[in-house]
Amino acid sequence: MRHLLSIEKLSAEEIRAILASAPRYKLERGRPGSLPLAGQSWALIFSKSSTRTRVSFEVGIRELGGQVMFLNATDIQLGRGELIKDTARVLGRMIHGAVIRTFEQADVEEFAAEARVPTVNALTDHEHPCQILADLFTVQEKRGSLDGLVVTFVGDGGCNVATSWVWAAARLGFELRVAAPAAFQPHPDLLARAGGRVEWTCDPQAAVRGADVLYTDVWVSMGKEAEAPQRLAELADYRLDHALVQLAKPGALVMHCLPAYRGKEIAEDTFEAHASTIFDQAENRLHAQKAVLGWLQG
Ligand code: CP
Ligand code: NVA
């Protein structure tokens, strides 16, 4: 049985297979060639806020022929202390797949093991694999291929999105540079385990020079709100703005997983100048999610 628990757990072949099918789902929208989820009921179980991930999975599951229910984790008995493994053992007898957004990576993995239905990590504190698959699809679509790619991540290099980028670079062999203050770098153990062409630096100007893609994410991820004042102060020199973009390769893509906080991780004018890429990237969540759902049936 297949799950999407992290980019770390995917092989290069699996990532490439998902990316290869995404364009077909985009092209066939509204006139699908098949309904791979026909007769299936899926649950979205979310402990954190979501716009893109929730809507892209709800729409994607329906458009692939399935039924979907959204369960706010605080509304079900999980919120009153029922164990993940018991919740998983009950739902596993009723649903055909689960999409989970929560805090601990171990909770998604435990759910997958106990429910024994295809399970998707829709963001944990550790990774955001669905986001990075959609991002890779977007880069592939706009650039033609991922060959020779150089991606620079500027900002909170220790966050879930950055960690998924580290694993994507390690698996696919492209160059990833992370520009962040020392306290917000990917953990050295992670970099050692991942390997690949991943470098980090405290110098954002050096990191963006010649890059094909400049990428950022919020400075205060969900669950880190208590650290907001310290994060905003320490990350202030890592804002993506025109001065940085001008050092990148001409025509470099500026990407943001959204939601964006203008004036913090990205300057307002830089965001608006690259809005067409950023909202294509957001739309591609839907097509990439369908590619994931189709792959899970394999
Ligand atoms: N990028 C992303 O995952 O957005 P949501 O938090 O709105 O799902
Ligand atoms: N790093 C962010 C991603 C939001 C989509 C967070 O975890 O809040």
Side-chain angles (χ1 to χ4, degrees), residues 48-50 52-53 101-102 122-128 131 153 156 159-162 217-225 256-259 261 285:
K48 292 176 174 173
S49 304
S50 175
R52 282 144 288 271
T53 309
R101 173 168 283 203
T102 191
L123 180 150
T124 62
D125 290 347
H126 187 61
E127 270 214 42
H128 194 0
Q131 179 68 54
F153 184 101
D156 179 8
C159 79
N160 41 16
V161 170
D217 181 13
V218 295
W219 286 345
V220 183
S221 285
M222 292 179 279
K224 307 279 185 205
E225 290 78 6
H256 193 308
C257 59
L258 300 176
Y261 294 86
R285 294 294 306 276

Side-chain angles (χ1 to χ4, degrees), residues 61-72:
I61 289 167
R62 287 197 189 100
E63 290 189 357
L64 294 182
Q67 306 282 330
V68 60
M69 74 196 88
F70 181 81
L71 303 173
N72 185 324

Side-chain angles (χ1 to χ4, degrees), residues 128-146:
H128 194 0
C130 297
Q131 179 68 54
I132 269 51
L133 289 167
D135 297 341
L136 292 169
F137 168 42
T138 306
V139 173
Q140 190 172 270
E141 187 179 48
K142 295 197 175 293
R143 208 176 155 266
S145 102
L146 303 177

Side-chain angles (χ1 to χ4, degrees), residues 13 32 50 89 158 175 205 219 227 240 298:
E13 292 67 33
S50 175
R89 284 188 281 184
E175 184 178 340
Q205 282 83 16
W219 286 345
E227 300 172 12
L240 210 45

Side-chain angles (χ1 to χ4, degrees), residues 188-210:
D189 292 348
L190 163 68
L191 296 181
R193 272 193 312 119
R197 294 194 295 149
V198 182
E199 298 164 14
W200 67 267
T201 174
C202 296
D203 180 348
Q205 282 83 16
V208 301
R209 223 161 254 133

